[in-house]
Amino acid sequence: MSRQVTASGRQGVVMHVRCPDRLDQEVYRQVLEQLAELSPVVQALPPTAALVELKGALPYYGVDARRLGEVLRVRTLSRLGIDVRVGIGPSITVAATASAQVPDPGGVLAVTPEEAADWLGGLPVEALHGIGPRQAAVLRDYGIHSVRLLAAVSPATVQRLLGGKAGRLAADRARGIDPRPVVPRALPASASVRCSFPRHTLDGAEVRAALLDLVVRLGRDLRRRDQAARALTLTLSFAGNTSWEKTRRLAEPSAHEDDLRTLAYQLIDAAGLQRGRLTALALRGEDLIGAGQVATQISLDEAREARLVAEAAVDRVRDKFGASVIGPAAVFRSAS
């Protein structure tokens, strides 16, 4: 598939590339190398996507953006044996929405700035990049079933329906407002935190408090790096140089302590420690993605929403006064 929405007007300069699901990490890195040959401004969106700023590349190559998308497809097919879906538009939202409209296994869909509003308007509301299933369901319940209708609703109304930040972003992006730049970035594939016990421990409460501290540290690291984890790996080290390791995936990518703690406790319970003498714990966030890729969903759990607000406030306190000034009571009791 290779399609251009209109031949008139100037092309958009943002390219959004989607690779096949479950792509091997090394192959993904090779895709990023192919993108770097087109433009020096490449933003990795692990595990299978990336953004490319083409503004400087277009005059250099002397071709339009759609043509560069076709060149990329030829290179990934011939050199790596994989096809990619490429969306091109005047903003990240338009480009990412376009790439999602390209059917498997691959193709190029280029949307010019002049046609972006009309093209977006004709799509179902759930097709707009950043709108999750629950958000789409709420909008449809109120008769807002297309991006055009969403753009016609006042931003204040959308905020009341979807919540403050999520509603503001949805209203802006439906109108084609998305000032985010493509930021050159190669995200680490994982983030890890570790603690050692001063003596071999059999104390379940001490182990659980140490694990909770790791959850807090890992969550803060991920949020500061603007990332979210798709999976967690827990590694237990025992006396006698033996170890146990297990990985489980999160229901949805997250950097929030609520979600990380729940899965971390499931992992420690699965270990069945009994009388194992622990010497160290390590918790690793795996299969990381940019926080901007995580769909902001509506939650009907008011207690959870309150905890997320508190988490953001605690992050600000730690940034100002240091990480050790505030935290879960269980961690402080264990340390005392």
Side-chain angles (χ1 to χ4, degrees):
M1 171 187 175
S2 180
R3 178 186 167 205
Q4 187 172 359
V5 171
T6 179
S8 64
R10 186 179 174 184
Q11 287 274 20
V13 295
V14 178
M15 175 188 288
H16 186 274
V17 180
R18 296 177 189 266
C19 302
D21 293 339
R22 298 180 178 84
L23 188 68
D24 180 81
Q25 183 177 340
E26 180 55 33
V27 178
Y28 175 65
R29 292 185 182 278
Q30 292 177 31
V31 172
L32 295 180
E33 292 173 1
Q34 299 301 313
L35 296 176
E37 292 183 8
L38 297 180
S39 168
V41 186
V42 177
Q43 181 175 340
L45 302 174
T48 59
L51 289 166
V52 187
E53 173 58 66
L54 297 178
K55 185 175 182 179
L58 296 180
Y60 177 82
Y61 288 102
V63 297
D64 62 22
R66 180 182 60 81
R67 179 59 178 163
L68 286 184
E70 293 172 341
V71 167
L72 175 66
R73 281 192 71 205
V74 170
R75 289 179 178 179
T76 58
L77 279 167
S78 61
R79 298 175 182 178
L80 307 179
I82 65 167
D83 206 346
V84 293
R85 295 185 290 158
V86 179
I88 298 167
S91 69
I92 291 176
T93 292
V94 175
T97 301
S99 67
Q101 296 301 302
V102 177
D104 285 326
V108 180
L109 177 55
V111 182
T112 67
E114 294 80 7
E115 293 294 319
D118 285 342
W119 180 77
L120 284 175
L123 296 174
V125 70
E126 61 268 21
L128 182 65
H129 182 68
I131 297 289
R134 278 181 283 181
Q135 291 176 324
V138 169
L139 293 171
R140 284 185 172 276
D141 284 344
Y142 284 89
I144 305 170
H145 53 78
S146 71
V147 177
R148 180 172 290 108
L149 289 174
L150 178 59
V153 176
S154 72
T157 299
V158 181
Q159 286 183 275
R160 284 196 295 271
L161 295 178
L162 301 184
K165 181 180 179 180
R168 184 172 62 255
L169 290 175
D172 284 347
R173 292 174 185 176
R175 291 169 170 79
I177 301 171
D178 183 1
R180 293 176 297 167
V182 177
V183 180
R185 182 169 59 189
L187 297 180
S190 65
S192 61
V193 288
R194 178 183 173 84
C195 73
S196 298
F197 297 105
R199 61 188 182 282
H200 301 170
T201 183
L202 294 168
D203 188 337
E206 181 182 3
V207 171
R208 217 166 183 84
L211 180 58
L212 179 58
D213 184 47
L214 293 185
V215 165
V216 171
R217 288 163 52 194
L218 178 62
R220 182 167 182 257
D221 286 348
L222 290 172
R223 294 191 297 275
R224 291 178 70 184
R225 287 157 52 166
D226 201 25
Q227 293 179 273
R230 292 177 183 266
L232 288 183
T233 295
L234 177 65
T235 303
L236 310 180
S237 299
F238 298 96
N241 294 322
T242 60
S243 64
W244 176 94
E245 183 173 285
K246 192 172 185 64
T247 301
R248 284 187 180 175
R249 297 188 72 80
L250 290 145
E252 295 179 350
S254 180
H256 297 304
E257 291 167 16
D258 256 11
D259 305 320
L260 302 180
R261 181 184 64 251
T262 299
L263 186 56
Y265 283 177
Q266 291 174 5
L267 287 167
I268 197 76
D269 290 343
L273 291 178
Q274 297 178 344
R275 299 196 58 78
R277 294 183 297 155
L278 274 175
T279 59
L281 293 174
L283 188 65
R284 188 167 66 248
E286 305 271 17
D287 201 1
L288 303 187
I289 63 173
Q293 291 180 267
V294 181
T296 304
Q297 298 287 8
I298 297 170
S299 173
L300 300 180
D301 185 344
E302 293 183 0
R304 173 181 168 82
E305 292 301 311
R307 289 194 296 271
L308 295 183
V309 171
E311 179 182 81
V314 168
D315 282 347
R316 291 193 292 272
V317 172
R318 288 176 178 143
D319 289 342
K320 186 172 183 178
F321 298 106
S324 61
V325 300
I326 189 170
V331 174
F332 284 99
R333 283 198 297 269
S334 176
S336 61

